[in-house]
Amino acid sequence: MARRRGPRGPDRRHQRRPSPLLPSVAPREPRRWRRASLVAETTGRKQPADLVPCGPRALARGLQLPAAPRPAAPRLRLARQDAAMAAAAVAAPEVLRECGCKGIRTCLICERQRGGDPPWQHPPQKTHRFIYYSDTGWAVGAEESDFEGWAFPFPGVTVIEDFVTREEEAEMVQLMDREPWKPSQSGRRKQDYGPKVNFRKQKLKTAGFRGLPSFSREVVRRMGLYPILEDFRPVEQCNLDYCPERGSAIDPHLDDAWLWGERLVSLNLLSPTVLSMSREAPGSLLLCLAPSGFPEALVEGVMAPSRSVLCQEVEVAVPLPCRSLLVLTGAARHQWKHAIHRRHIQARRVCATFRELSAEFCPGGKQQELGQELLQISLSFQGRPM
């Protein structure tokens, strides 16, 4: 004999609450998310805001866990959840969902996840800031600083403004966005067009490397029109995407010198920024007093050095206008570390960095045959991100 249903409503099997994230949209969240939802459902009490756990995807999207919904028809609840998730997807772009930080590297996404006082330590800012002037090649003390009007030569930095047009810039970024971006450290995303390299073991593999992207053919050709890049033949291109919402940055570093050669070339797109250069070597820099306090006067002559500053306390800011091309050589390439600070990313910034081979992989070097193979692949311009 069939059991009669009482006036309390439909069978309890239809009253199970769906998961906060539907399986068809995203993988299941950690158990701590599900346990918090279960407590809210069974007790009807809301947890304090600082105790409500939040999964990594919700944190990245800037979402909060929904409070336990009131009993409603199953179909209605599902429809509301679908609408809420669709609105969240529109409001929060895909670029904010993942974090690629490792070790001491952090971004805004993982810093929010960890909460509290961070166990890591960000490097302190340098004491004395100088501004690089590309028209003179000198670094001049910042205004209202202890070294305002004092300067020193800063060779090895070349900035070529308006290297591409606005239309070319928009087209390049559009073509980059058609390919997948991989999460990288410190809130960056990246696309690698180059061989797989183990710098610690000094080994590389050409498997899967198909060259630079097709849209870089014209960029490389145009580089050769400038005397400083006349014989520049890049074997690797790395696209990096910076976003203020992720707290994107890159720590001070020197690029590898075993595989990569004398010149580092980077094309700055979408927004201007500042390249910060520092040096950890002991010793002092000799400064000259710029006549009349104007950097242009440094071209014709300077006074004898009359002041010094410790190298380790100096940071040189190199302004990078939008659509400019940066070339680092000599001391700026091998002795001064370069970085992009989080505070200097005010809008989305995309850069394409090109690297050439070191002498070991060039004609006459120990690995010239491998270098020739890498160049043939690279300059075929048939690449896809690795």
Side-chain angles (χ1 to χ4, degrees):
M1 182 175 180
R3 295 178 59 186
R4 297 181 58 188
R5 298 189 180 208
R8 295 185 178 179
D11 190 276
R12 291 184 179 180
R13 290 174 297 175
H14 299 287
Q15 295 184 356
R16 292 185 301 175
R17 303 184 187 280
S19 173
L21 290 179
L22 294 179
S24 59
V25 176
R28 298 180 67 185
E29 294 294 341
R31 186 172 297 175
R32 52 192 173 88
W33 177 308
R34 301 196 301 273
R35 184 166 57 249
S37 300
L38 182 60
V39 171
E41 293 172 4
T42 55
T43 64
R45 295 195 302 267
K46 295 183 179 180
Q47 294 181 338
D50 58 342
L51 296 180
V52 175
C54 208
R57 293 177 180 82
L59 280 169
R61 297 190 188 104
L63 301 178
Q64 295 181 350
L65 283 179
R70 296 180 179 179
R75 292 183 179 178
L76 180 59
R77 288 199 300 271
L78 290 173
R80 288 176 177 174
Q81 285 187 334
D82 290 340
M85 286 188 297
V90 173
E94 180 72 22
V95 298
L96 300 180
R97 292 187 179 182
E98 298 185 23
C99 165
C101 297
K102 299 177 183 178
I104 62 172
R105 305 290 186 265
T106 66
C107 66
L108 287 179
I109 297 175
C110 59
E111 288 171 11
R112 289 169 184 154
Q113 290 176 349
R114 300 179 189 184
D117 295 330
W120 58 92
Q121 293 292 331
H122 295 291
Q125 295 186 18
K126 297 294 182 178
T127 306
H128 305 295
R129 190 164 183 262
F130 289 74
I131 311 299
Y132 175 76
Y133 288 84
S134 59
D135 53 348
T136 65
W138 284 67
V140 182
E143 294 182 0
E144 299 182 359
S145 69
D146 293 340
F147 291 95
E148 179 178 1
W150 294 86
F152 64 94
F154 197 73
V157 178
T158 302
V159 179
I160 303 172
E161 297 189 18
D162 296 319
F163 183 78
V164 295
T165 65
R166 293 180 183 272
E167 293 74 19
E168 291 170 335
E169 172 190 47
E171 182 179 3
M172 286 183 65
V173 175
Q174 184 181 25
L175 292 173
M176 290 180 187
D177 286 340
R178 290 181 181 179
E179 300 290 349
W181 290 93
K182 293 183 179 180
S184 185
Q185 302 201 59
S186 302
R188 304 185 307 273
R189 299 188 304 163
K190 67 179 180 179
Q191 294 174 342
D192 284 326
Y193 295 86
K196 294 183 179 180
V197 186
N198 187 323
F199 292 105
R200 183 174 60 87
K201 297 182 179 180
Q202 294 191 347
K203 294 183 179 180
L204 62 85
K205 297 180 180 179
T206 59
F209 178 38
R210 297 172 55 187
L212 304 188
S214 58
F215 60 83
S216 294
R217 185 188 297 271
E218 172 59 22
V219 175
V220 173
R221 185 201 68 81
R222 192 174 302 176
M223 289 179 185
L225 301 179
Y226 295 84
I228 193 174
L229 297 173
E230 186 175 3
D231 58 345
F232 183 74
R233 295 190 297 170
V235 75
E236 194 240 22
Q237 176 179 337
C238 180
N239 301 333
L240 291 176
D241 177 90
Y242 293 74
C243 177
E245 289 77 12
R246 297 192 302 267
S248 301
I250 189 167
D251 291 344
H253 67 282
L254 291 173
D255 280 37
D256 175 80
W258 162 70
L259 178 60
W260 308 134
E262 174 64 19
R263 292 164 290 190
L264 298 179
V265 182
S266 185
L267 179 60
N268 186 58
L269 303 173
L270 292 187
S271 66
T273 190
V274 175
L275 185 75
S276 299
M277 307 195 70
S278 58
R279 187 174 178 181
E280 300 302 327
S284 301
L285 292 169
L286 296 179
L287 305 179
C288 302
L289 184 62
S292 304
F294 292 103
E296 292 78 2
L298 293 170
V299 177
E300 299 187 6
V302 295
M303 299 172 58
S306 56
R307 197 172 179 184
S308 64
V309 61
L310 294 176
C311 288
Q312 297 178 350
E313 297 181 354
V314 170
E315 182 176 81
V316 178
V318 181
L320 298 180
C322 193
R323 296 180 298 281
S324 64
L325 190 74
L326 169 72
V327 184
L328 297 181
T329 62
R333 155 74 170 97
H334 298 287
Q335 299 177 15
W336 288 80
K337 295 182 178 181
H338 55 276
I340 300 287
H341 296 316
R342 181 182 295 181
R343 64 181 181 273
H344 291 143
I345 300 298
Q346 302 295 326
R348 187 189 181 194
R349 176 203 180 229
V350 172
C351 73
T353 298
F354 301 83
R355 299 179 175 92
E356 63 182 345
L357 290 171
S358 67
E360 181 174 336
F361 296 85
C362 292
K366 293 189 302 182
Q367 303 195 59
Q368 60 176 348
E369 294 182 0
L370 177 57
Q372 184 62 31
E373 178 186 357
L374 289 172
L375 277 174
Q376 290 178 352
I377 298 174
S378 172
L379 299 181
S380 68
F381 297 101
Q382 300 177 0
R384 297 290 302 275
M386 297 288 288

